Amino acid sequence: MINIEIDSIIDDISPHNYIDCDIDTIDFCDINYNGFVENFMLKNLPCVVKNISLEWECASKWIEGNKINYDYLQNTYGDLEAPVADCNNIDFNAHCKSNMKVGEYMDYLKNDKKDGTLYLKDWHLRRIRPSDQFYNVPFIFGSDWLNEYATDHQEDDFMFVYIGPSKSWTPFHADVYSSYSWSVNIFGRKKWILLPPKEEEKLKDTLGNLPLLFNPEQSQNVKYFEILQEKGDAIFVPSGWHHQVTNLLDTVSINHNFINAFNIEFVWSSLQTNLLSVEKEIEEFKHTPEFQEQCQLILKSVFGMNFVDFLHFISHIAQKRLNQMNSENYVGFNNFTLGIKHIMFDLNILLKIINSVQNHPLFSNKYIAPNEIDTIMNIKNSILLKVK
């Protein structure tokens, strides 16, 4: 187990001015957890981390010399199915997807005369093969409420394998729930383009739609960063940073989305913004009995979670942190142990979020069940006893 802890100094960090920001490159060997929190997570700034996968099993077994070890992947995972996106087939601003046997995909990938551009992505291999420890979650990403919640509830996780040929790509987007993400190249090279929050507003058309791909040559006065990600590099993508990715070579990567105390306020704010947009979109039905229910259904469709989902999420993490303090069992996600200051910080931030949720109009109307309100208020009172 690896312990992750923070210093009290992190409360003094102020939001960063994205206009003056740059993207740092650091070496994994030189990183400490608190420094990463202060310099990147709290400031919501991206970075490149070198040499992060040197000791990962997949870095040796999945790669043979200067190419992907197709035979190993076929023999080990060939009978499994994985989602595959067709980069040449677009429907509603997204790639069309289908499932394919991994063995069949490897046959496609090693063929020099490929038919089309197929990209194996969003593959939940870690969930399918939990005993197969083909990589280690870097300790700097160890505070991960999203995958902690998914693991505790045996739901779909946010841990993915991507394998794609040269010229495969991911469209311009921001990550689900406005979460953080990290992506580690096991092999190959990617080109990333990232835009700081709000810069994407300059790209919207008259209907408010974003482009499938951002073209810098066609977009004036838009601040963006271009990064080449090499083998062994990790990219940390903060909340609200729109990005697109192109594989310049055949590439294999491990990718996680995650939420924690350092970006949960961003997630909550984004959920509220999306809800307001949904309410405005169907405001002609505002006085119908089904209005709020329909708004929540649409919100879940466009944002990934609705108001009640968010309540369940923060309630679970808060109750778990309270239990950890009471039992002195500080294990969080992936067997990382949390220092007491970290747990207290989590609880203080959760208390702040709960107070904000409590002030939201939806909390006091009939949409929220009384038992849900009782649960969150009991948790709030328990936190107050711990942090006062």
Side-chain angles (χ1 to χ4, degrees):
M1 293 185 182
I2 298 176
N3 181 262
I4 52 177
E5 181 61 299
I6 56 177
D7 297 335
S8 58
I9 192 174
I10 65 170
D11 290 327
D12 299 327
I13 300 295
S14 56
H16 196 86
N17 181 1
Y18 296 125
I19 300 302
D20 299 326
C21 71
D22 205 348
I23 297 183
D24 290 339
T25 299
I26 52 181
D27 195 289
F28 188 60
C29 300
D30 300 330
I31 297 174
N32 67 73
Y33 180 78
N34 197 80
F36 189 82
V37 168
E38 289 185 359
N39 293 317
F40 303 106
M41 287 193 189
L42 282 173
K43 293 181 179 179
N44 208 48
L45 290 176
C47 67
V48 179
V49 185
K50 309 289 289 186
N51 302 313
I52 207 164
S53 60
L54 296 178
E55 298 180 358
W56 290 6
E57 182 179 293
C58 60
S60 58
K61 291 187 176 180
W62 293 14
I63 310 302
E64 185 177 43
N66 197 32
K67 65 177 184 178
I68 297 170
N69 191 338
Y70 309 109
D71 291 340
Y72 176 83
L73 290 169
Q74 280 182 315
N75 292 334
T76 309
Y77 308 113
D79 290 337
L80 300 178
E81 284 195 339
V84 174
D86 184 347
C87 295
N88 297 333
N89 191 356
I90 309 299
D91 187 25
F92 292 105
N93 235 26
H95 294 145
C96 292
K97 277 188 176 183
S98 60
N99 288 330
M100 182 183 290
K101 292 283 188 181
V102 173
E104 294 175 6
Y105 183 78
M106 289 302 131
D107 286 335
Y108 155 80
L109 193 62
K110 64 185 178 183
N111 191 336
D112 291 334
K113 297 180 180 180
K114 296 178 180 62
D115 183 15
T117 307
L118 303 181
Y119 194 0
L120 188 155
K121 59 194 307 188
D122 299 326
W123 184 25
H124 294 272
L125 179 57
R126 188 172 178 126
R127 187 189 68 218
I128 298 169
R129 291 280 186 86
S131 61
D132 189 350
Q133 299 298 313
F134 55 96
Y135 70 98
N136 304 313
V137 176
F139 72 93
I140 54 176
F141 308 128
S143 179
D144 183 343
W145 298 359
L146 197 54
N147 286 301
E148 185 176 352
Y149 181 90
T151 301
D152 290 347
H153 290 79
Q154 298 184 329
E155 295 180 355
D156 272 358
D157 57 46
F158 297 84
M159 303 179 279
F160 310 106
V161 173
Y162 281 46
I163 305 174
S166 173
K167 298 182 182 179
S168 54
W169 52 283
T170 297
F172 186 68
H173 70 287
D175 286 318
V176 62
Y177 309 146
S178 295
S179 61
Y180 292 147
S181 67
W182 60 264
S183 175
V184 174
N185 257 15
I186 307 305
F187 181 77
R189 178 181 298 133
K190 294 178 185 283
K191 182 177 79 171
W192 291 70
I193 292 181
L194 297 92
L195 276 66
K198 305 302 182 185
E199 288 297 297
E200 78 280 356
E201 296 292 334
K202 302 174 183 178
L203 304 178
K204 290 183 176 179
D205 61 21
T206 54
L207 298 176
N209 298 313
L210 288 168
L212 184 66
L213 283 172
F214 165 61
N215 186 342
E217 296 179 358
Q218 297 176 356
S219 304
Q220 301 298 317
N221 301 316
V222 176
K223 185 177 180 65
Y224 71 94
F225 297 92
E226 185 173 306
I227 302 171
L228 290 182
Q229 182 189 21
E230 304 288 354
K231 177 180 177 181
D233 290 356
I235 302 287
F236 168 62
V237 182
S239 290
W241 283 66
H242 280 69
H243 52 282
Q244 64 192 38
V245 189
T246 304
N247 292 324
L248 302 181
L249 303 170
D250 288 3
T251 304
V252 180
S253 64
I254 308 294
N255 307 269
H256 279 211
N257 293 99
F258 67 115
I259 295 169
N260 57 33
F262 313 119
N263 72 335
I264 187 64
E265 291 182 77
F266 200 109
V267 174
W268 168 232
S269 176
S270 186
L271 185 148
Q272 293 176 85
T273 299
N274 276 269
L275 178 56
L276 287 173
S277 296
V278 169
E279 290 174 342
K280 183 177 180 181
E281 186 72 22
I282 62 170
E283 62 182 348
E284 61 186 295
F285 305 107
K286 187 172 183 177
H287 299 294
T288 64
E290 301 84 9
F291 178 71
Q292 281 301 341
E293 183 177 352
Q294 290 301 313
C295 285
Q296 293 302 310
L297 286 172
I298 298 171
L299 178 63
K300 186 157 187 169
S301 174
V302 299
F303 186 69
M305 72 168 76
N306 60 25
F307 193 85
V308 171
D309 294 333
F310 186 77
L311 279 182
H312 291 165
F313 177 62
I314 61 172
S315 295
H316 176 78
I317 298 299
Q319 186 62 63
K320 190 170 180 180
R321 294 295 176 269
L322 288 166
N323 293 343
Q324 288 166 330
M325 287 196 70
N326 293 333
S327 67
E328 297 187 357
N329 176 9
Y330 301 155
V331 178
F333 166 67
N334 202 61
N335 285 326
F336 287 104
T337 60
L338 304 177
I340 190 64
K341 292 179 182 177
H342 205 309
I343 292 176
M344 291 297 293
F345 183 82
D346 284 5
L347 288 172
N348 272 293
I349 293 296
L350 284 162
L351 178 61
K352 185 176 181 180
I353 297 296
I354 290 170
N355 285 334
S356 181
V357 167
Q358 190 180 354
N359 290 328
H360 194 279
L362 277 180
F363 192 78
S364 58
N365 74 14
K366 295 180 180 179
Y367 181 75
I368 308 299
N371 64 309
E372 302 273 4
I373 293 177
D374 289 344
T375 296
I376 198 73
M377 296 311 297
N378 287 336
I379 289 172
K380 175 182 174 178
N381 292 333
S382 297
I383 295 175
L384 285 169
L385 291 174
K386 292 293 183 182
V387 301
K388 67 177 181 180

